[in-house]
Amino acid sequence: MMRLTGTALRVTVFIGENDVWHHKPLYTEIVHRAHRAGLAGASVFRGIEGFGASSLIHTSRLLSLSEDLPVAIVIVDTEERVRAFLPELDVLVGEGLVILDHCEVIRYVGRGQDA
Protein backbone atom coordinates (compact mmCIF):
# COMPACT_ATOMS: atom_id res chain seq x y z
CA MET A 1 0.00 0.00 0.00
CA MET A 2 1.39 3.37 -1.02
CA ARG A 3 1.14 6.34 1.29
CA LEU A 4 1.30 9.86 -0.06
CA THR A 5 0.78 12.86 2.17
CA GLY A 6 2.35 16.28 2.45
CA THR A 7 4.29 18.05 -0.27
CA ALA A 8 3.90 16.58 -3.75
CA LEU A 9 4.29 17.54 -7.39
CA ARG A 10 1.45 17.59 -9.89
CA VAL A 11 2.09 17.25 -13.60
CA THR A 12 -0.73 18.18 -15.96
CA VAL A 13 -0.51 17.27 -19.63
CA PHE A 14 -2.81 19.05 -22.09
CA ILE A 15 -3.25 17.29 -25.43
CA GLY A 16 -5.97 16.71 -28.00
CA GLU A 17 -8.44 13.87 -27.68
CA ASN A 18 -7.46 12.58 -31.14
CA ASP A 19 -3.70 12.49 -30.43
CA VAL A 20 -2.41 8.93 -30.82
CA TRP A 21 0.62 6.84 -29.97
CA HIS A 22 1.02 3.72 -32.13
CA HIS A 23 -2.67 3.67 -33.15
CA LYS A 24 -4.11 4.11 -29.64
CA PRO A 25 -5.11 7.23 -27.73
CA LEU A 26 -2.10 9.14 -26.39
CA TYR A 27 -3.85 9.73 -23.04
CA THR A 28 -4.17 5.94 -22.63
CA GLU A 29 -0.46 5.46 -23.26
CA ILE A 30 0.43 8.16 -20.73
CA VAL A 31 -1.81 6.65 -18.04
CA HIS A 32 -0.49 3.12 -18.64
CA ARG A 33 3.13 4.29 -18.52
CA ALA A 34 2.45 6.21 -15.30
CA HIS A 35 0.93 3.03 -13.84
CA ARG A 36 3.92 0.92 -14.91
CA ALA A 37 6.24 3.54 -13.39
CA GLY A 38 4.47 3.01 -10.05
CA LEU A 39 3.18 6.56 -9.75
CA ALA A 40 0.50 7.23 -7.16
CA GLY A 41 -2.27 7.89 -9.68
CA ALA A 42 -3.33 9.46 -12.96
CA SER A 43 -6.66 10.79 -14.17
CA VAL A 44 -7.85 11.92 -17.60
CA PHE A 45 -10.30 14.81 -17.96
CA ARG A 46 -12.07 15.62 -21.21
CA GLY A 47 -12.65 19.30 -21.87
CA ILE A 48 -15.72 20.75 -23.53
CA GLU A 49 -13.93 23.63 -25.22
CA GLY A 50 -10.46 25.06 -25.56
CA PHE A 51 -7.53 26.11 -27.73
CA GLY A 52 -3.80 25.81 -27.55
CA ALA A 53 -0.69 26.77 -29.50
CA SER A 54 -2.45 26.24 -32.83
CA SER A 55 -5.08 28.88 -31.86
CA LEU A 56 -7.84 26.63 -33.22
CA ILE A 57 -10.86 26.51 -30.94
CA HIS A 58 -12.10 22.98 -30.29
CA THR A 59 -15.59 22.63 -28.85
CA SER A 60 -18.20 19.99 -28.07
CA ARG A 61 -21.07 22.18 -29.23
CA LEU A 62 -23.46 20.34 -31.51
CA LEU A 63 -22.92 22.45 -34.64
CA SER A 64 -19.14 22.50 -34.36
CA LEU A 65 -16.98 20.68 -36.89
CA SER A 66 -14.32 19.97 -34.28
CA GLU A 67 -14.25 16.69 -32.43
CA ASP A 68 -10.64 16.91 -31.23
CA LEU A 69 -11.55 18.11 -27.76
CA PRO A 70 -8.95 19.11 -25.19
CA VAL A 71 -7.83 16.43 -22.74
CA ALA A 72 -5.92 16.92 -19.49
CA ILE A 73 -4.00 14.11 -17.81
CA VAL A 74 -3.21 14.84 -14.16
CA ILE A 75 -0.58 12.87 -12.23
CA VAL A 76 0.37 13.51 -8.59
CA ASP A 77 3.25 11.93 -6.69
CA THR A 78 6.44 12.91 -4.89
CA GLU A 79 8.62 15.39 -6.72
CA GLU A 80 11.34 12.79 -7.20
CA ARG A 81 9.01 10.25 -8.80
CA VAL A 82 7.26 12.80 -11.04
CA ARG A 83 10.55 14.26 -12.26
CA ALA A 84 11.82 10.74 -13.01
CA PHE A 85 8.73 10.26 -15.22
CA LEU A 86 9.21 13.47 -17.23
CA PRO A 87 11.48 11.86 -19.88
CA GLU A 88 8.57 9.54 -20.76
CA LEU A 89 6.39 12.58 -21.43
CA ASP A 90 9.14 14.18 -23.47
CA VAL A 91 9.04 11.16 -25.81
CA LEU A 92 5.23 10.92 -25.96
CA VAL A 93 4.03 14.52 -26.17
CA GLY A 94 4.89 15.99 -29.56
CA GLU A 95 2.21 18.69 -29.46
CA GLY A 96 0.64 19.93 -26.26
CA LEU A 97 1.51 21.49 -22.95
CA VAL A 98 3.10 19.92 -19.89
CA ILE A 99 3.04 21.89 -16.63
CA LEU A 100 4.31 21.18 -13.13
CA ASP A 101 3.10 22.67 -9.89
CA HIS A 102 3.72 21.96 -6.26
CA CYS A 103 0.76 20.82 -4.22
CA GLU A 104 -0.04 19.37 -0.83
CA VAL A 105 -1.71 15.98 -0.50
CA ILE A 106 -4.17 15.93 2.37
CA ARG A 107 -5.63 12.45 1.90
CA TYR A 108 -4.71 9.56 -0.40
CA VAL A 109 -6.62 6.37 0.40
CA GLY A 110 -7.78 3.62 -1.94
CA ARG A 111 -10.96 1.59 -1.77
CA GLY A 112 -11.08 -0.84 1.12
CA GLN A 113 -8.12 0.75 2.91
CA ASP A 114 -8.24 1.90 6.51
CA ALA A 115 -8.01 5.64 6.99
Side-chain angles (χ1 to χ4, degrees):
M1 179 175 78
M2 179 182 220
R3 292 218 179 265
L4 179 65
T5 56
T7 303
L9 194 62
R10 174 177 48 208
V11 59
T12 306
V13 181
F14 296 94
I15 58 172
E17 183 178 34
N18 292 340
D19 292 347
V20 295
W21 180 261
H22 297 287
H23 308 293
K24 67 179 179 181
L26 177 57
Y27 57 84
T28 298
E29 184 67 19
I30 293 171
V31 168
H32 285 252
R33 287 194 188 197
H35 186 257
R36 282 196 306 269
L39 295 173
S43 297
V44 178
F45 301 93
R46 184 178 190 224
I48 59 171
E49 190 164 18
F51 72 93
S54 69
S55 292
L56 297 173
I57 294 180
H58 302 276
T59 180
S60 64
R61 283 181 278 160
L62 189 59
L63 299 177
S64 172
L65 298 176
S66 174
E67 294 180 4
D68 189 21
L69 295 173
V71 171
I73 304 105
V74 179
I75 301 166
V76 178
D77 207 319
T78 64
E79 182 167 355
E80 179 182 1
R81 293 170 68 93
V82 168
R83 290 199 182 274
F85 186 69
L86 292 180
E88 296 272 356
L89 295 177
D90 194 39
V91 169
L92 294 170
V93 181
E95 294 180 5
L97 174 66
V98 178
I99 62 172
L100 294 172
D101 42 8
H102 292 276
C103 60
E104 184 176 357
V105 175
I106 304 300
R107 183 171 170 82
Y108 175 67
V109 179
R111 289 188 183 117
Q113 294 179 352
D114 295 322

